[in-house]
Amino acid sequence: EYANKTFGGYTADVNGVIHLSMPSGESRTIEYLPVEMKKVKVEEKDIPEGFTPEGGAEKTVKLIRSGDARADYVNIYDPAEAVNNIQLKVRKTISGRDWTDGDAFTFVLEQLTGDSIWTKIAEKEADKGDKTPDFTAAIQSIHFTEAATYTFRVREDEESSGGIIVDPTISEFSVVVADDEHDGKLKIKKVVSTAPNTTITRDKTTKAPIVQMAFENKYDPQGSVDVDINITKNLVDTSGQSKAPSGFVFGLYDEDGELIADTVETGVSGEASIRRVYVPSDAGNTYVYTLKEIAGEEPGYTYDDKEYKLAVSVVDEEGTLKAYIYDYDPDRGDIPSGAGDTYDAAFENKYDPEDVSVTLEGDKDLTGRDMKTGEFKFDLYETDGTYNTEDLKPVQTVSNKDADGTFSFSLNYCKVGTYYYVIKENTSKPLGGVTYDTSEYHVKVIVTDEGGALAAETSILDSAGKEAEIAFKNSYSPEPASLSLTGTKTLEGKKLEDGMFRFGLFASDSSFSKEEALGEVTNTAGGAFAFNAASYTKEGKYYYIVKELSDKPVDGIIYDKTVFHVTVTVTDDKEGKLVTSSDISAVGDTEKSADRISFTNTYKGSEPVDPDKDKDKKDKSVKTGDSSKLIGWVIMLLLSAEGLMVLLLIGRRSAGRRI
């Protein structure tokens, strides 16, 4: 019974349940609950994941007539532990010599559990058969149950093996666990490390963090060695000049981005080289370099941004120092098969000077009528120095872009050279009434390279070889149009005779407020009449008035007083002809068709007829007809079911009274 009712500003739903929401720490008061209500059940709904209401979600509150009844809720937030899918892998390398069967190196995984307190979690051994100890299972045994930063480290045991110096690097990394979304689930937000031998990536499929550590032990060999980097430069010249790949310089950079060697400028063959020499103290080391071009600032040149990541491993092979150069891969632990003491690199530059644009502007002049935007077209042919366009198709066709007749061709050049063009008017689809200009213009454009930017010099000659501006002159002369206004005469009550009635044609203005007599005609026995045809030589609107002339009335005739307003619109069909269209409207006491001129007269005998009197009779007839319609409607109402109901209602309300 409380469904859809409102209590203290809260409205219950169809089940009598009031729904409300409140942020943490706030309360709501519901006033004016019915006095007969003794208890109220309160239930927390839609509890977000990770939250648990203390004491349960459902409570029963006893209402007191005076005073407050409270239902207090405390939610406990206890998110689920984070999913630990971290992968931890160690890679062990020895520089200076190959692995032997007796090589064994121990690595320890520890967790920071207090102030400078490291607790051992697991240890793994790397040997000739397995140089990549995997701590994945050990690190995944850690439970991340709180939002915090967990710190771990991997270190190599300090014992030496076969005189090899143990890598002293201690590789720390931290796991940041957070609950930024507060969705009831802790998550590993990020895994970070500042250790130089540690890289952190993510699995492409599972997005699991992958922590990889590289430990390198060194062996001190004897001897010396060098490596050569041979560089070839290719130059793509889009300007058509076939420039030589000379004058380019390349640099070799260390892992810190410092330039440690560069080349001399390349010659016409585009070749250069860098040599690096290594001493015995370099044995056991792998050096990582970046080879790239030292970009210049010459305009027009685009420099190759390619970078070669190179590694040079210096090793002692049975007392002989050797160096191997190869493509660097951070995940590779061994020297790749086929690596040697030389490396070939190639770079490609592009010479692409700034384009130059030329606009060839022309003018079209038309006499005889106003010009329309886009109605004339002009062709541009690309030719040789003979300016012969036979069997050629235009490379551009443009139209006049405004009513002033201006047009232009836009040309863009990316190569040096001399270019020849012919410009003439397009007459493939001639406009009626237009006489076209057959002139031709010869254009020569010389494009040169001005130090990284192309420049163009343009000359325009007419067909006689004289300097000229591009201009075409056309003339327009459309055929005139003619129109004869016609109409019909109808006579009721008597036979129509030839020449019985007269009709007048008057020139007027757009408001039809003036009349200038142009002529009059009479009807034929068939009722037709026509005015002399008017000739039109210009576009525009022409206004006329047509009416019957009754200044010499015929006895017994009631004349049609209708006045016809005629608007004749003369337009150019753009094919050399003027065409006409007419709009006719009737003005008078009677409604007339708006598409033709017609007059209807009535013969009433020899006695004159008073039109106003006849109109009064017509009005009375209309009123009588309206009364008859009203009586008929009442009778139909009485005979219908609705009418019967009306009578019953009237009888019921009037019971005991005389009607």
Side-chain angles (χ1 to χ4, degrees):
E1 67 268 27
Y2 303 117
N4 302 317
K5 293 184 178 180
T6 300
F7 306 99
Y10 296 92
T11 302
D13 63 14
V14 295
N15 298 313
V17 177
I18 292 175
H19 299 269
L20 54 86
S21 62
M22 64 186 80
S24 175
E26 292 188 11
S27 64
R28 298 286 186 270
T29 300
I30 305 175
E31 299 177 329
Y32 309 118
L33 294 175
V35 295
E36 66 271 20
M37 188 180 291
K38 303 300 183 182
K39 293 182 179 179
V40 173
K41 183 178 76 174
V42 180
E43 183 179 2
E44 184 176 8
K45 290 286 192 179
D46 302 323
I47 303 171
E49 190 171 349
F51 289 86
T52 303
E54 188 176 54
E58 194 172 295
K59 301 178 186 296
T60 300
V61 179
K62 184 177 181 181
L63 300 183
I64 305 173
R65 186 174 183 86
S66 60
D68 293 340
R70 295 179 57 82
D72 293 330
Y73 279 81
V74 176
N75 289 62
I76 301 171
Y77 184 66
D78 185 19
E81 69 177 61
V83 175
N84 183 355
N85 57 358
I86 300 172
Q87 300 178 38
L88 175 58
K89 300 177 181 179
V90 174
R91 185 179 76 247
K92 179 65 177 177
T93 59
I94 300 176
S95 60
R97 68 166 175 81
D98 294 333
W99 285 74
T100 65
D101 293 338
D103 290 332
F105 306 93
T106 301
F107 296 89
V108 180
L109 171 64
E110 300 172 322
Q111 180 180 1
L112 183 63
T113 57
D115 187 13
S116 300
I117 299 175
W118 293 92
T119 301
K120 179 179 176 181
I121 298 175
E123 68 177 40
K124 295 283 184 178
E125 187 173 86
D127 54 27
K128 182 179 179 180
D130 184 6
K131 305 180 184 67
T132 56
D134 193 338
F135 286 96
T136 297
I139 193 65
Q140 289 184 359
S141 67
I142 305 299
H143 296 277
F144 301 121
T145 58
E146 295 181 1
T149 298
Y150 301 79
T151 303
F152 305 88
R153 74 179 182 184
V154 174
R155 60 178 177 83
E156 186 174 3
D157 191 274
E158 295 180 356
E159 294 182 2
S160 63
S161 176
I164 295 178
I165 301 173
V166 174
D167 192 335
T169 304
I170 298 178
S171 303
E172 291 187 15
F173 67 96
S174 297
V175 179
V176 180
V177 178
D179 187 17
D180 294 342
E181 299 176 2
H182 295 291
D183 58 357
K185 299 176 183 178
L186 294 174
K187 296 180 181 64
I188 296 177
K189 186 175 181 180
K190 58 183 177 179
V191 179
V192 295
S193 174
T194 58
N197 68 331
T198 302
T199 60
I200 300 173
T201 59
R202 287 191 177 272
D203 188 283
K204 293 182 179 179
T205 303
T206 65
K207 307 302 181 183
I210 302 174
V211 182
Q212 294 178 308
M213 299 178 176
F215 290 83
E216 182 182 51
N217 291 357
K218 298 181 180 180
Y219 180 74
D220 189 13
Q222 299 295 317
S224 62
V225 70
D226 57 58
V227 297
D228 290 312
I229 302 173
N230 300 317
I231 302 167
T232 301
K233 162 62 69 177
N234 181 42
L235 179 63
V236 177
D237 183 2
T238 65
S239 70
Q241 301 178 82
S242 301
K243 284 181 172 289
S246 57
F248 300 103
V249 179
F250 307 88
L252 190 67
Y253 299 80
D254 63 16
E255 289 186 275
D256 295 327
E258 295 293 330
L259 178 66
I260 59 174
D262 58 359
T263 69
V264 297
E265 292 184 351
T266 57
V268 293
S269 64
E271 296 179 351
S273 64
I274 294 176
R275 171 169 290 180
R276 294 294 295 165
V277 178
Y278 300 92
V279 296
S281 59
D282 294 319
N285 291 330
T286 295
Y287 299 94
V288 178
Y289 304 108
T290 299
L291 174 67
K292 59 184 178 181
E293 184 172 6
I294 300 175
E297 297 181 354
E298 291 295 323
Y301 286 92
T302 300
Y303 292 85
D304 196 336
D305 59 0
K306 183 191 303 180
E307 294 185 358
Y308 287 90
K309 286 291 186 180
L310 306 177
V312 176
S313 294
V314 184
V315 298
D316 177 17
E317 295 182 356
E318 298 179 356
T320 301
L321 190 68
K322 291 188 176 182
Y324 298 92
I325 185 170
Y326 50 90
D327 291 317
Y328 173 68
D329 183 350
D331 295 327
R332 180 162 43 213
D334 298 328
I335 299 172
S337 175
D341 59 359
T342 61
Y343 187 91
D344 295 327
F347 294 85
E348 182 174 278
N349 286 4
K350 183 178 181 181
Y351 181 67
D352 183 18
E354 183 180 347
D355 293 358
V356 63
S357 296
V358 172
T359 301
L360 301 176
E361 297 184 340
D363 182 68
K364 156 63 66 180
D365 182 49
L366 178 65
T367 59
R369 68 165 171 83
D370 292 337
M371 193 184 313
K372 297 181 177 62
T373 299
E375 68 175 332
F376 294 102
K377 298 183 182 299
F378 309 89
D379 293 332
L380 175 74
Y381 296 84
E382 186 169 3
T383 71
D384 55 18
T386 65
Y387 298 104
N388 184 6
T389 61
E390 186 177 358
D391 299 327
L392 293 180
K393 293 183 178 180
V395 294
Q396 285 189 42
T397 298
V398 299
S399 303
N400 59 302
K401 54 189 175 184
D402 53 35
D404 292 332
T406 60
F407 63 91
S408 62
F409 297 97
S410 295
L411 301 173
N412 188 73
Y413 300 94
C414 60
K415 293 184 177 181
V416 299
T418 302
Y419 302 84
Y420 302 92
Y421 305 95
V422 172
I423 297 174
K424 52 187 175 180
E425 189 166 5
N426 184 319
T427 59
S428 59
K429 296 180 180 179
L431 298 175
V434 175
T435 301
Y436 286 84
D437 190 336
T438 59
S439 300
E440 290 188 4
Y441 294 91
H442 298 169
V443 180
K444 181 168 70 172
V445 180
I446 301 175
V447 179
T448 56
D449 186 355
E450 302 297 330
L454 298 182
E457 181 181 349
T458 304
S459 62
I460 302 173
L461 305 176
D462 61 19
S463 56
K466 296 181 180 180
E467 290 187 7
E469 294 183 353
I470 302 170
F472 295 92
K473 295 183 178 181
N474 291 359
S475 61
Y476 179 80
S477 179
E479 295 178 9
S482 63
L483 176 68
S484 176
L485 295 178
T486 63
T488 59
K489 159 57 71 177
T490 302
L491 178 59
E492 297 177 350
K494 188 177 181 179
K495 183 179 180 181
L496 182 65
E497 298 176 5
D498 186 21
M500 191 173 183
F501 299 103
R502 298 159 44 241
F503 308 92
L505 175 65
F506 302 86
S508 189
D509 55 14
S510 59
S511 63
F512 297 96
S513 60
K514 71 175 185 176
E515 296 181 2
E516 180 183 341
L518 297 176
E520 64 176 68
V521 295
T522 60
N523 62 282
T524 65
F529 63 90
F531 297 100
N532 291 335
S535 179
Y536 301 95
T537 59
K538 287 186 178 181
E539 290 185 294
K541 291 185 180 291
Y542 301 82
Y543 305 94
Y544 303 95
I545 294 174
V546 178
K547 60 184 176 179
E548 186 171 3
L549 303 177
S550 59
D551 55 328
K552 299 177 182 180
V554 178
D555 289 343
I557 298 298
I558 298 176
Y559 283 82
D560 191 335
K561 301 299 184 181
T562 305
V563 175
F564 288 91
H565 292 173
V566 181
T567 301
V568 176
T569 302
V570 180
T571 57
D572 189 344
D573 66 356
K574 297 184 181 180
E575 296 181 358
K577 295 180 181 180
L578 295 179
V579 295
T580 63
S581 62
S582 59
D583 180 64
I584 302 171
S585 61
V587 180
D589 294 336
T590 60
E591 295 184 357
K592 292 285 185 179
S593 171
D595 59 356
R596 61 189 179 90
I597 299 172
S598 64
F599 297 93
T600 301
N601 289 359
T602 304
Y603 178 71
K604 292 295 185 178
S606 59
E607 293 183 3
V609 178
D610 184 354
D612 294 333
K613 183 177 181 181
D614 187 62
K615 181 180 178 183
D616 291 340
K617 289 180 179 180
K618 184 177 179 181
D619 292 342
K620 291 179 181 179
S621 176
V622 171
K623 293 178 180 179
T624 303
D626 292 342
S627 300
S628 299
K629 291 180 181 178
L630 178 60
I631 294 171
W633 179 84
V634 172
I635 293 172
M636 291 178 65
L637 176 63
L638 293 175
L639 294 176
S640 64
E642 290 82 354
L644 182 57
M645 289 300 296
V646 170
L647 290 176
L648 290 173
L649 288 172
I650 293 173
R652 182 177 179 183
R653 293 185 179 181
S654 304
R657 289 165 36 186
R658 297 183 65 185
I659 300 174

